[in-house]
């Protein structure tokens, strides 16, 4: 889809890797939409690639710098060459790639730096935030994925408030035709395996759910890369302890998200913190009834309960009750799924993002 026309820019999207996380998906989504709308886009992973490489639109230049440490002069010279050879005007730095974007800006007067803050824990991370505060004098604009992060930046970052905006994430997952297995009720948790996603509460909720006389067998899929091996081992031990080995699967990163969601009956996020999870938007595009914790923009995405179920963090009992309701009320759950799809299409589409994004870029170019 092509949207409102703005001046074409040469934009570098910069991120650490293309593993299947929310920030990484948004980096690719933004690159694809910008390219589709006539901008010259270069996508650069500073450390390594990943499964999301396959989702990059043909025609977008993609580079991997193979950065081995925070100070890697060989990799940084590669970045400078990419900026110079492509006459880059804007470096859009996602999360922790900001430092290299700022340093690269120092070698080119024309380059502007846009920082995309995806970290839902930002307001609680005072030590790491000092690093970002010090760099903020060189940042030209900030995108935050929720209102809390935008407010934090306005209070703490040395960037003019009008250049700090909250812009919703968006999915590029197209409509999914669902064909769930008739014998199983399949719950999908599309989240990388790290503590903030709080799989432990979900595991305990599944144990409570299994104690009921269910009309179908349960299948639960934890789909995501293992970002924290110690945490991964902890949740595997809990699965064993609660005798859920035959119920919960951990297949790792899933390349074909659409196929996974097409076979699901319910999407869940049990996170203790979030920004605006792309996974939740993808659940919506698949018309899945969802259960989410009240963190980040999750409650807003589901209309504060109108388009999905919302529970408090760390509440295994509440999570089990809402999952049970979806399981035992399939007709009503289907309506909720159809409603969240319509809500996501209307309010979290790429067109909404692109308009706000280009308005910000035009502002920082002045």
């Amino acid at each position: 889809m092509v949207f409102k026309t703005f001046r074409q820019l040469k934009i570098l999207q910069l991120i650490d890797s293309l593993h299947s996380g929310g920030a990484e998906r948004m980096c690719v989504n933004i690159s694809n939409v910008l390219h589709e709308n006539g901008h010259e886009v270069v996508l650069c992973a500073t450390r390594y690639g990943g499964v999301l490489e396959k989702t990059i639109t043909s025609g977008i230049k993609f580079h991997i710098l193979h950065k081995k440490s925070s100070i890697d002069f060989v990799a940084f010279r590669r970045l400078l060459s990419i900026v110079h050879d492509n006459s880059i005007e804007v470096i859009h730095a996602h999360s922790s790639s900001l430092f290299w974007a700022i340093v690269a800006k120092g070698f080119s007067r024309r380059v502007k730096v846009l920082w995309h803050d995806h970290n839902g824990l930002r307001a609680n991370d005072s030590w790491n935030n000092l690093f970002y505060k010090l760099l903020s004098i060189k940042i030209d604009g900030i995108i935050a994925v929720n209102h809390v992060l935008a407010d934090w930046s306005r209070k703490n970052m040395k960037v003019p408030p009008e250049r700090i905006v909250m812009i919703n994430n968006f999915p590029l997952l197209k409509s999914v035709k669902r064909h769930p297995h008739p014998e199983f009720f399949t719950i999908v948790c599309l989240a990388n395996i790290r503590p903030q996603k709080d799989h432990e509460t979900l595991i305990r909720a599944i144990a409570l759910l299994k104690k009921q006389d269910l009309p179908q067998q349960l299948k639960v899929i934890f789909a995501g890369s293992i970002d924290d091996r110690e945490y991964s081992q902890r949740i595997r031990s809990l699965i064993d302890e609660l005798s859920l080995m035959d119920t919960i699967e951990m297949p790792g990163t899933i390349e074909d998200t659409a196929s996974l969601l097409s076979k699901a009956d319910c999407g869940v996020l049990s996170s203790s913190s979030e920004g605006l999870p792309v996974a939740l938007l993808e659940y919506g595009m698949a018309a899945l009834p969802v259960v989410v914790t009240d963190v980040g923009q999750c409650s807003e995405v589901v209309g504060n309960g109108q388009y999905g179920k919302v529970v408090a963090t760390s509440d295994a009992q509440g999570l089990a009750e809402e999952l049970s309701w979806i399981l035992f009320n399939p007709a009503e759950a289907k309506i909720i799924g159809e409603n969240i799809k319509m809500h996501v299409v209307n309010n979290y589409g790429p067109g909404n993002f692109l308009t706000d994004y280009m308005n910000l870029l035009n502002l920082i170019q002045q």
Side-chain angles (χ1 to χ4, degrees), residues 147-199:
H147 296 293
V148 173
L149 290 176
D151 289 342
W152 182 90
S153 282
R154 293 186 186 109
K155 293 175 183 176
N156 293 281
M157 304 292 271
K158 298 182 185 301
V159 177
E162 67 273 14
R163 296 187 178 191
I164 300 171
V165 297
M166 195 286 285
I167 308 181
N168 287 329
N169 288 342
F170 64 92
L172 280 185
L173 182 70
K174 295 179 172 59
S175 295
V176 174
K177 186 175 181 179
R178 290 175 55 202
H179 46 88
H181 196 290
E183 295 181 10
F184 290 94
F185 184 85
T186 302
I187 299 170
V188 168
C189 178
L190 189 57
N192 288 342
I193 309 300
R194 57 174 181 255
Q196 299 96 308
K197 302 302 181 179
D198 193 11
H199 296 80

Side-chain angles (χ1 to χ4, degrees), residues 31-95:
S31 299
N32 291 346
V33 166
L34 289 174
H35 175 75
E36 185 179 349
N37 283 268
H39 301 279
E40 293 186 38
V41 182
V42 179
L43 200 164
C44 182
T46 60
R47 292 189 179 275
Y48 32 74
V51 296
L52 292 176
E53 290 180 47
K54 296 181 179 180
T55 65
I56 301 171
T57 297
S58 175
I60 294 176
K61 298 177 182 177
F62 174 59
H63 301 270
I64 303 174
L65 301 182
H66 301 290
K67 182 174 77 169
K68 295 178 174 61
S69 63
S70 297
I71 302 174
D72 184 329
F73 293 110
V74 174
F76 184 71
R77 281 198 296 271
R78 292 192 196 107
L79 176 61
L80 291 182
S81 294
I82 292 167
V83 171
H84 177 267
D85 294 346
N86 293 279
S87 302
I88 295 298
E89 298 170 83
V90 176
I91 300 178
H92 181 156
H94 295 262
S95 301

Side-chain angles (χ1 to χ4, degrees), residues 77-315:
R77 281 198 296 271
R78 292 192 196 107
L79 176 61
L80 291 182
S81 294
I82 292 167
V83 171
H84 177 267
D85 294 346
N86 293 279
S87 302
I88 295 298
E89 298 170 83
V90 176
I91 300 178
H92 181 156
H94 295 262
S95 301
S96 59
S97 64
L98 175 65
F99 176 70
W100 272 35
I102 293 294
V103 179
K105 176 184 176 180
F107 288 82
S108 175
R109 293 181 180 179
R110 66 180 293 173
V111 169
K112 303 293 185 180
V113 170
L114 180 65
W115 181 46
H116 205 145
D117 188 7
H118 301 266
N119 185 359
L121 285 171
R122 176 77 54 207
N124 302 321
D125 191 4
S126 57
W127 172 250
N128 194 38
N129 285 340
L130 178 61
F131 169 79
Y132 291 97
K133 291 176 185 178
L134 292 173
L135 291 179
S136 65
I137 194 170
K138 297 294 185 180
I139 300 174
D140 298 289
I142 296 175
I143 295 174
V145 298
N146 64 39
H147 296 293
V148 173
L149 290 176
D151 289 342
W152 182 90
S153 282
R154 293 186 186 109
K155 293 175 183 176
N156 293 281
M157 304 292 271
K158 298 182 185 301
V159 177
E162 67 273 14
R163 296 187 178 191
I164 300 171
V165 297
M166 195 286 285
I167 308 181
N168 287 329
N169 288 342
F170 64 92
L172 280 185
L173 182 70
K174 295 179 172 59
S175 295
V176 174
K177 186 175 181 179
R178 290 175 55 202
H179 46 88
H181 196 290
E183 295 181 10
F184 290 94
F185 184 85
T186 302
I187 299 170
V188 168
C189 178
L190 189 57
N192 288 342
I193 309 300
R194 57 174 181 255
Q196 299 96 308
K197 302 302 181 179
D198 193 11
H199 296 80
E200 292 165 298
T201 293
L202 179 53
I203 293 167
R204 293 187 174 93
I206 297 302
L208 292 172
L209 191 58
K210 284 205 70 174
K211 292 180 179 179
Q212 301 181 40
D213 184 15
L214 303 177
Q216 294 170 281
Q217 296 183 60
L218 272 185
K219 178 188 287 187
V220 182
I221 302 174
F222 289 175
S225 65
I226 297 176
D227 290 354
D228 186 320
R229 294 196 176 279
E230 181 181 343
Y231 174 70
S232 173
Q233 185 54 51
R234 198 164 75 222
I235 65 174
R236 288 181 189 277
S237 296
L238 183 59
I239 290 170
D240 290 345
E241 178 187 332
L242 296 176
S243 300
L244 296 173
M245 301 82 72
D246 295 331
T247 302
I248 299 177
E249 302 175 9
M250 293 178 61
T253 301
I254 299 293
E255 294 186 15
D256 188 353
T257 303
S259 178
L260 172 70
L261 298 183
S262 72
K263 300 169 186 174
D265 296 281
C266 175
V268 62
L269 289 173
S270 52
S271 310
S272 59
S273 72
E274 284 288 358
L276 197 171
V278 179
L280 177 54
L281 301 178
E282 291 180 342
Y283 294 163
M285 290 304 296
L288 286 178
V290 299
V291 183
V292 296
T293 44
D294 189 9
V295 292
Q297 296 296 101
C298 290
S299 182
E300 181 176 310
V301 172
V302 300
N304 298 309
Q306 187 176 358
Y307 310 114
K309 302 295 185 177
V310 184
V311 299
T313 56
S314 306
D315 183 3

